[in-house]
Amino acid sequence: MDMFSLVRLRTFNRLQTVVQHLSQQMSKQAGSDAEVLLQKSGHAGVITMNRPKALNALNLSMIRLIYPQLKAWEQDPETSFVMIRGVGGKAFCAGGDIRAISDAGQSGDRLAQDFFREEYMLNYAIGTFSKPYVALIDGITMGGGVGLSVHGHFRVATEKTLFAMPETAIGLFPDVGGSYFLPRLEGKLGLYLALTGFRLKGRDVHKAGVATHFVESERLPALEKDLISLKAPSKETISDLLDGYHEKSESGKEKPFVLAEHLDKINRLFDSTSVEGIIRNLKQDGSSFALQQAETLIKMSPTSMKITFRQLKEGATLSLKDAFTMEYRLSQACMRGHDFFEGVRAVLIDKNQNPNWSPATLEEVSDEYVDSCFKPLGSSDLKL
């Protein structure tokens, strides 16, 4: 063995030791009550989101366990692929721990920087993972849960899947790589989902291009078993197995895509140079669908909508790496602003669903302010 290989082996062994220690500590502290379970099963590294009472919401301690383990599995010759799933039957992962981030942002706690920085590092690690990555998105999959799944090679939806990027309703923006994957959906569908927070359910998550496969929820245990039993797991053999399950899934097969009859309108009315232009288009169209969308948009944070519109426009031509660098800048702009904290208050704390946005109208959100949100942060920029 040459010196380079020896050094690499020693580095890998040290990383494995650290990860094993973290996993053992986590197990000792909580056993099966740990917030995330990290296990080897056959050739698979298995990540299990284990906060069912919190709908498997992602927090910083979970990120700090998953990230080093993912890196270790990537280097481990005995690990051929990674599978991620949630427990509880209701959610894969309903999002990030937004309440904690809001509290931190208001008190000046470092969590407001650390959470976004480390979450995006994990999302990028998933997006660039060199081995097959299979996300079983059974149940609610929003925000942070989308970041844990959508950048992987395979995303398996079920009839229980509920996908949404609802950030404009809480004064944020569709992050976790939304600036990369949303503009790459068909036509203006990504922009529509980003601005309105529209919820896709079941097979529609596959029809929209968010999921790669659809399998009935009751068949997931059999699918997991077959994945773990693969003798020589590779992208090809995993793809073949998932294709087989997908083809045998009948639930909702004949139903048209929920937005099929509106896609022409979405592509036409959301094709504008500004959010104000989109709302004008919707009102001028006058159909019940268009007016309903205009009504939805008027309730969202004007600042968030303008940031999101620009974010997706920029993201359409950015690399995944550059998209996350941009999103980190936007996250910190939101931490400096007003609407995120007000949105969390209205939706999650007081639950009166009546946020007082500031500025209150799109016209009052200046181009200069939006530009400032996208400015580099110097030494504080995200480095991937």
Side-chain angles (χ1 to χ4, degrees):
M1 185 181 287
D2 61 33
M3 185 58 73
F4 175 74
S5 299
L6 192 61
V7 169
R8 193 174 172 192
L9 182 63
R10 282 175 180 164
T11 304
F12 170 66
N13 287 339
R14 278 199 299 271
L15 184 59
Q16 278 284 63
T17 304
V18 169
V19 168
Q20 282 165 7
H21 175 70
L22 281 170
S23 298
Q24 284 163 5
Q25 287 300 105
M26 180 180 72
S27 298
K28 280 176 192 169
Q29 286 165 12
S32 61
D33 292 333
E35 294 176 323
V36 61
L37 307 175
L38 304 163
Q39 299 154 316
K40 266 301 290 292
S41 188
H43 291 285
V46 182
I47 302 166
T48 305
M49 308 295 285
N50 193 37
R51 295 182 73 201
K53 288 178 183 172
L55 298 177
N56 296 325
L58 181 68
N59 61 32
L60 187 56
S61 62
M62 294 162 77
I63 291 167
R64 287 177 171 172
L65 288 165
I66 297 169
Y67 182 82
Q69 183 65 80
L70 196 64
K71 289 292 186 183
W73 279 334
E74 190 165 31
Q75 298 297 321
D76 178 16
E78 297 299 312
T79 303
S80 300
F81 72 101
V82 166
M83 177 170 69
I84 184 167
R85 61 191 181 182
V87 300
K90 289 184 179 177
F92 165 68
C93 171
D97 199 344
I98 294 297
R99 177 83 181 263
I101 298 163
S102 176
D103 291 345
Q106 287 174 302
S107 65
D109 190 282
R110 275 203 58 84
L111 178 70
Q113 292 101 50
D114 292 346
F115 180 88
F116 290 107
R117 185 183 298 277
E118 295 181 45
E119 181 184 30
Y120 298 170
M121 286 170 67
L122 174 57
N123 298 156
Y124 184 67
I126 291 166
T128 55
F129 197 62
S130 60
K131 295 176 180 179
Y133 183 96
V134 184
L136 304 177
I137 53 172
D138 185 33
I140 302 166
T141 305
M142 296 185 186
V146 175
L148 290 174
S149 55
V150 78
H151 304 295
H153 302 104
F154 304 107
R155 288 91 62 192
V156 183
T158 75
E159 74 283 0
K160 292 182 182 177
T161 305
L162 178 62
F163 166 93
M165 296 297 282
E167 288 81 5
T168 56
I170 56 163
L172 203 56
F173 61 96
D175 65 338
V176 298
S179 47
Y180 184 84
F181 81 85
L182 287 167
R184 285 163 177 81
L185 297 179
E186 190 181 337
K188 294 291 177 182
L189 179 60
L191 181 60
Y192 170 76
L193 296 174
L195 291 176
T196 65
F198 184 83
R199 297 178 169 199
L200 293 169
K201 298 173 186 174
R203 198 178 277 271
D204 286 326
V205 181
H206 174 258
K207 289 175 179 173
V210 175
T212 57
H213 296 81
F214 176 88
V215 176
E216 283 90 358
S217 184
E218 65 182 25
R219 298 175 69 219
L220 285 187
L223 173 59
E224 288 182 29
K225 190 178 175 186
D226 284 350
L227 281 165
I228 288 163
S229 301
L230 283 170
K231 294 211 167 24
S234 66
K235 201 169 177 185
E236 290 71 30
T237 57
I238 290 169
S239 182
D240 288 346
L241 180 62
L242 293 174
D243 288 349
Y245 268 82
H246 175 80
E247 283 156 20
K248 288 174 190 164
S249 296
E250 297 298 325
S251 175
K253 205 172 193 175
E254 303 309 316
K255 284 184 183 175
F257 179 44
V258 66
L259 292 169
E261 63 181 305
H262 305 301
L263 283 176
D264 286 345
K265 264 189 174 32
I266 288 170
N267 290 335
R268 182 165 46 82
L269 303 178
F270 280 74
D271 186 9
S272 178
T273 56
S274 67
V275 183
E276 293 95 326
I278 290 171
I279 292 175
R280 271 196 304 274
N281 290 345
L282 291 166
K283 288 179 175 176
Q284 283 168 9
D285 179 87
S287 64
S288 60
F289 173 78
L291 294 176
Q292 198 178 351
Q293 307 319 306
E295 200 176 303
T296 297
L297 293 180
I298 288 163
K299 292 176 186 171
M300 303 301 179
S301 158
T303 301
S304 287
M305 287 197 292
K306 283 208 167 180
I307 287 173
T308 298
F309 183 84
R310 164 100 174 259
Q311 171 205 352
L312 264 65
K313 187 179 175 186
E314 303 264 342
T317 57
L318 291 180
S319 65
L320 184 62
K321 185 177 183 179
D322 290 343
F324 280 119
T325 301
M326 175 180 72
E327 288 184 9
Y328 183 71
R329 293 168 184 167
L330 297 178
S331 76
Q332 296 312 292
C334 290
M335 295 304 103
R336 295 190 301 269
H338 165 275
D339 279 6
F340 171 64
F341 305 107
E342 174 59 14
V344 171
R345 179 205 65 75
V347 176
L348 298 177
I349 299 172
D350 296 346
K351 298 182 181 177
N352 64 5
Q353 313 298 322
N354 188 27
N356 296 306
W357 303 126
S358 179
T361 66
L362 285 163
E363 290 72 24
E364 291 174 273
V365 183
S366 69
D367 291 343
E368 290 74 24
Y369 176 76
V370 175
D371 288 345
S372 75
C373 298
F374 286 80
K375 282 186 177 165
L377 299 171
S379 61
S380 296
D381 255 337
L382 176 65
K383 293 166 188 71
L384 292 170

